[in-house]
Amino acid sequence: MTTYNVALNFEDGVTRVIQCEDDEMVTEAAFRQKINIPMDCRDGVCGTCKCFAEKGKFELEFYLEEAMTEEEAAQGYVLTCQMSPLSDCVVRVPATSAVCKTAPEPVAGEVLGVDRLSETSFGLRVKMAKTMGFLPGQYVNVSVPGTDKHRSYSFSSKPGADEGQFLIRNIPGGVMSSYLGERAKGGDAITLTGPMGTFYLRPMERPQLWLAGGTGLAPFLSMLEHLAEQGNDQPITLYYAVTRAADLVELDRVQALAKQIGNVTVITVLAAEEDAHERKGFVTDHLSANDLNGGDVDVYLCGPPPMVDAVRSHFGTLGVEPANFYFEKFNPTETEADAA
Ligand code: FES
């Protein structure tokens, strides 16, 4: 018996990951993990449980044409009460997380430590009271101890661990930065609510191009940690772009993971004029049509909004559209009100 991860994407942008055995139906596995995918007959007769399989291999047991037509099945629709996975899968559920009685869950945590990685970034380590079923790349809302505020950060650690790690940009005067820089101490109570977000690593079926801007490296660290454990047979090119040389944090960890996984190329790019580096400028100054493999590539980008826009228009200039382009724009700054 093999257990696979099935990511359920709900209409409201919430994603939950369930574990489903290869002889188990997705609706049953979801129900076991307290998620009620809408269903009625459970026999492949009514069509109530119809969803859309975005990725992965699976088997469908018996169902009637009235429940799902051949044409729908050919398009990728599935009856989840008759679906058992043959690989990790991604399934789009045509209902909100509230309808399915699942919502981001608060998990109590305790600060283990804060690492000053550079002038511009912190590492935060949190011990969670229970593990959170997130996919590599997803984020959580992290409470700011001593305030009623929270901030959203991607995990930089591997899914399934009871220690959550985050890479956090130091924003002078920012509410989280002030906490991390001035008041944080081991044992502080902190709450993580999630997981959230649709920026996560899909089953890998083609070469990968990963683009990280600054602390946008965090989700890629989680993906690398995941692959170091699960294995990987696709080539990965990771561009890690920062402003100054001192901002290249966690590079040793990235390179060690790259070596462990194999077939991972790490390319750093530096924007600041005054710092010497073999590749200067922006990612778009170095990304070539070669990196896009004739379009047969999955692109993942996590960085500030201008980087997302620049890369998208660069693809247009190169005249190559990647098979998939997943991105996460992270908020570059906190507002004055937030910082107060
Ligand atoms: Fe009726 Fe799945 S619940 S077809």
Side-chain angles (χ1 to χ4, degrees):
M1 189 171 59
T2 313
T3 304
Y4 295 107
N5 286 326
V6 178
L8 302 173
N9 285 338
F10 299 97
E11 261 182 353
D12 51 345
V14 171
T15 299
R16 295 294 302 273
V17 189
I18 58 167
Q19 278 71 53
C20 187
E21 285 156 16
D22 56 3
D23 61 351
E24 190 178 29
M25 299 306 163
V26 168
T27 45
E28 282 169 27
F31 188 70
R32 185 164 57 72
Q33 289 157 83
K34 300 190 171 50
I35 298 173
N36 300 343
I37 295 175
M39 59 179 167
D40 190 1
C41 69
R42 302 183 188 206
D43 285 325
V45 172
C46 71
T48 310
C49 64
K50 196 184 299 167
C51 294
F52 186 82
E54 292 183 353
K55 294 271 175 183
K57 298 191 182 71
F58 53 85
E59 252 174 0
L60 290 175
E61 300 273 315
F62 167 84
Y63 63 92
L64 290 182
E65 172 83 11
E66 287 77 32
M68 183 169 72
T69 64
E70 259 179 48
E71 196 185 356
E72 286 176 314
Q75 286 168 357
Y77 285 93
V78 282
L79 295 176
T80 44
C81 76
Q82 300 297 308
M83 173 189 183
S84 47
L86 297 172
S87 73
D88 288 348
C89 291
V90 178
V91 173
R92 193 163 74 220
V93 182
T96 63
S97 59
V99 164
C100 299
K101 297 194 173 52
T102 181
E105 207 188 338
V107 171
E110 190 179 295
V111 172
L112 287 174
V114 175
D115 306 308
R116 192 72 195 246
L117 299 173
S118 74
E119 216 176 279
T120 53
S121 56
F122 296 101
L124 169 66
R125 290 174 284 116
V126 175
K127 168 120 174 95
M128 296 182 278
K130 61 173 192 169
T131 57
M132 196 182 271
F134 68 91
L135 287 168
Q138 284 195 291
Y139 70 88
V140 281
N141 287 339
V142 181
S143 69
V144 185
T147 76
D148 58 358
K149 298 196 162 48
H150 68 261
R151 290 290 174 268
S152 304
Y153 301 110
S154 307
F155 281 101
S156 60
S157 49
K158 93 176 156 220
D162 59 5
E163 180 179 326
Q165 295 171 0
F166 304 93
L167 191 55
I168 297 177
R169 182 165 172 215
N170 181 16
I171 298 168
V175 65
M176 182 61 94
S177 300
S178 302
Y179 164 72
L180 295 173
E182 295 159 21
R183 309 192 306 278
K185 54 184 190 325
D188 283 353
I190 196 163
T191 305
L192 310 182
T193 305
M196 286 180 272
T198 53
F199 185 77
Y200 55 80
L201 188 61
R202 272 65 174 181
M204 289 164 54
E205 291 158 0
R206 54 176 65 81
Q208 305 282 300
L209 174 61
W210 295 358
L211 310 173
T215 51
L217 179 72
F220 296 110
L221 280 167
S222 183
M223 293 178 189
L224 290 169
E225 292 280 2
H226 169 76
L227 294 178
E229 204 169 73
Q230 304 287 317
N232 162 50
D233 53 13
Q234 295 290 347
I236 299 171
T237 304
L238 167 62
Y239 278 85
Y240 179 19
V242 297
T243 307
R244 302 175 159 280
D247 302 332
L248 278 175
V249 298
E250 299 277 42
L251 191 55
D252 290 348
R253 182 174 159 202
V254 168
Q255 276 162 343
L257 284 164
K259 194 165 166 209
Q260 190 183 339
I261 297 164
N263 216 357
V264 180
T265 308
V266 181
I267 300 170
T268 53
V269 181
L270 215 66
E273 302 223 329
E274 59 276 27
D275 290 351
H277 194 72
E278 51 189 322
R279 276 167 304 274
K280 300 297 297 286
F282 299 105
V283 161
T284 44
D285 296 326
H286 301 279
L287 259 182
S288 68
N290 247 358
D291 289 315
L292 290 168
N293 195 35
D296 187 26
V297 66
D298 290 334
V299 179
Y300 291 80
L301 189 164
C302 184
M307 181 175 173
V308 177
D309 299 339
V311 166
R312 198 203 300 275
S313 74
H314 189 61
F315 291 159
T317 310
L318 293 174
V320 188
E321 266 311 302
N324 292 294
F325 182 25
Y326 306 106
F327 58 85
E328 180 96 295
K329 295 177 182 179
F330 65 70
N331 260 345
T333 54
E334 294 173 289
T335 64
E336 297 268 307
D338 290 341

